[in-house]
Amino acid sequence: MTVSVARSAHRVASRALDWLGRFHTLATFPAGTTAELADPDSTYKPLGETALVASLVLREGVAGPRQAHTARKLLDFAWDQFRKGDLLYERQLRHPLMTDPLEIYAHFARTGYRHTDLEQLLTQLHSLRSTHAAELLPNRRLAVANAARITGLIDHEDWLALSSTTWLGATPEPWAIDWMTAYAVTHTVFHLTDWGARPGGLPAPLQAYLRTWLPVWVEVWREVAQWDLVGELLFVDACLDEPVCGAGPWEELAEVQHPDGLLPRDADPVPEGPIEAFTEHHHPTAVAVMAGTIALSRALNTPAPTR
């Protein structure tokens, strides 16, 4: 990666992290929240994404002291909101086939937050045929496998077999991709590489396919100002053995990013109210932190430790 990529990626990531640091308390569980979670997308999902973001910032170790402090603050806040893991434990206990408690817990386990009862429960569930027979989309099955790898539930997996069942694994006609499939592609890469920690986890044929077509897809969604998806595709680029997209898309993300650090989801106007802005644009801003952090780490030639 070039110096210009590193500069733009760092700018995008640091400003987006600052925004999350200022507004993260808008994702707070109401009093009396139980593991049933009538509306998981309203608070539960943003808290999980916040934990993922912060864990990657700390894992990569390329943030400055202020950014590292913000990341730790975000993790502590999210962990407290999940009642130090108790809420995740209760949700997993009541809904044994749900995968979200494991996936969210993995973000905390990556950075040393542990919950003994939840881990014992996950271990027991992992031994059940029912758990392995749960019907999941192929990229979702990869998500569960990677979360189990992070938390130590598994020490081996047939990643090639899992990847071969995904859309990306078929190396299909690239022009057939649509918006939802593009997100499936990005997450296939994220889970195979453990969010950029293991570029070698992406099979060579998929590396070659993405090196050819990823710049094309980035250009397609740049033209229609789908900035959330552009950010995810640039994150994929940073997960490759040899990133290929260059500085142009990063510079454009830096231009469309708001001065306060918010990255808009698309070309629609951003709501003036902070709550509405947070609800609609938390995800692209979180993606901006993650993509920029991994890109900067690659540019500085400081790969994350493998697990």
Side-chain angles (χ1 to χ4, degrees):
M1 288 191 180
T2 65
V3 172
S4 56
V5 169
R7 184 183 301 114
S8 295
H10 175 61
R11 178 186 178 195
V12 168
S14 60
R15 293 197 303 178
L17 183 61
D18 286 345
W19 185 87
L20 292 179
R22 287 194 299 275
F23 293 104
H24 67 282
T25 55
L26 293 178
T28 305
F29 285 123
T33 295
T34 70
E36 294 303 322
L37 299 178
D39 184 13
D41 287 346
S42 65
T43 300
Y44 185 71
K45 183 178 179 181
L47 280 171
E49 290 177 345
T50 295
L52 170 60
V53 168
S55 73
L56 296 188
V57 170
L58 295 174
R59 184 191 73 185
E60 293 302 313
V62 296
R66 183 171 62 85
Q67 286 81 20
H69 174 76
T70 298
R72 183 60 67 183
K73 178 179 70 173
L74 292 174
L75 268 175
D76 286 342
F77 173 79
W79 189 238
D80 285 343
Q81 285 294 304
F82 288 122
R83 303 203 307 272
K84 301 188 184 303
D86 284 351
L87 188 147
L88 298 174
Y89 170 72
E90 292 165 10
R91 183 166 173 81
Q92 190 70 85
L93 187 64
R94 296 182 188 184
H95 305 284
L97 293 184
M98 282 188 173
T99 65
D100 52 82
L102 166 61
E103 293 179 66
I104 290 177
Y105 179 62
H107 308 326
F108 294 104
R110 179 186 285 116
T111 44
Y113 299 71
R114 312 298 295 209
H115 190 285
T116 302
D117 289 343
L118 176 56
E119 293 194 12
Q120 291 177 347
L121 174 61
L122 290 170
T123 299
Q124 293 170 352
L125 293 176
H126 192 71
S127 69
L128 302 179
R129 293 192 303 276
S130 180
T131 300
H132 295 280
E135 298 186 11
L136 303 173
L137 290 172
N139 77 88
R140 296 292 311 123
R141 193 165 293 282
L142 279 171
V144 175
N146 188 49
R149 172 169 61 181
I150 295 167
T151 55
L153 287 179
I154 60 174
D155 57 10
H156 66 279
E157 185 63 81
D158 192 341
W159 298 98
L160 185 60
L162 288 176
S163 68
S164 68
T165 63
T166 66
W167 189 90
L168 176 62
T171 58
E173 300 81 4
W175 49 263
I177 196 169
D178 58 21
W179 187 79
M180 283 299 295
T181 304
Y183 278 98
V185 166
T186 64
H187 283 68
T188 294
V189 174
F190 298 155
H191 302 313
L192 284 171
T193 66
D194 187 12
W195 305 93
R198 299 168 173 262
L202 194 61
L206 306 192
Q207 294 265 3
Y209 179 82
L210 288 169
R211 282 196 293 270
T212 300
W213 297 113
L214 189 59
V216 178
W217 295 336
V218 168
E219 185 61 28
V220 167
W221 275 289
R222 284 173 68 188
E223 289 183 1
V224 294
Q226 288 288 324
W227 305 120
D228 182 83
L229 184 49
V230 169
E232 293 220 5
L233 292 170
L234 290 178
F235 191 171
V236 168
D237 189 44
C239 293
L240 300 181
D241 282 340
E242 299 176 11
V244 293
C245 288
W250 279 109
E251 292 168 355
E252 189 164 7
L253 274 192
E255 290 174 3
V256 301
Q257 188 176 30
H258 289 206
D260 66 355
L262 177 147
L263 183 72
R265 178 184 58 205
D266 47 37
D268 291 346
V270 174
E272 294 185 4
I275 296 176
E276 293 80 5
F278 183 90
T279 299
E280 294 184 16
H281 301 282
H282 175 273
H283 183 263
T285 306
V287 168
V289 180
M290 294 186 286
T293 296
I294 302 303
L296 178 62
S297 182
R298 296 298 305 279
L300 295 177
N301 196 29
T302 54
T306 57
R307 294 179 182 273

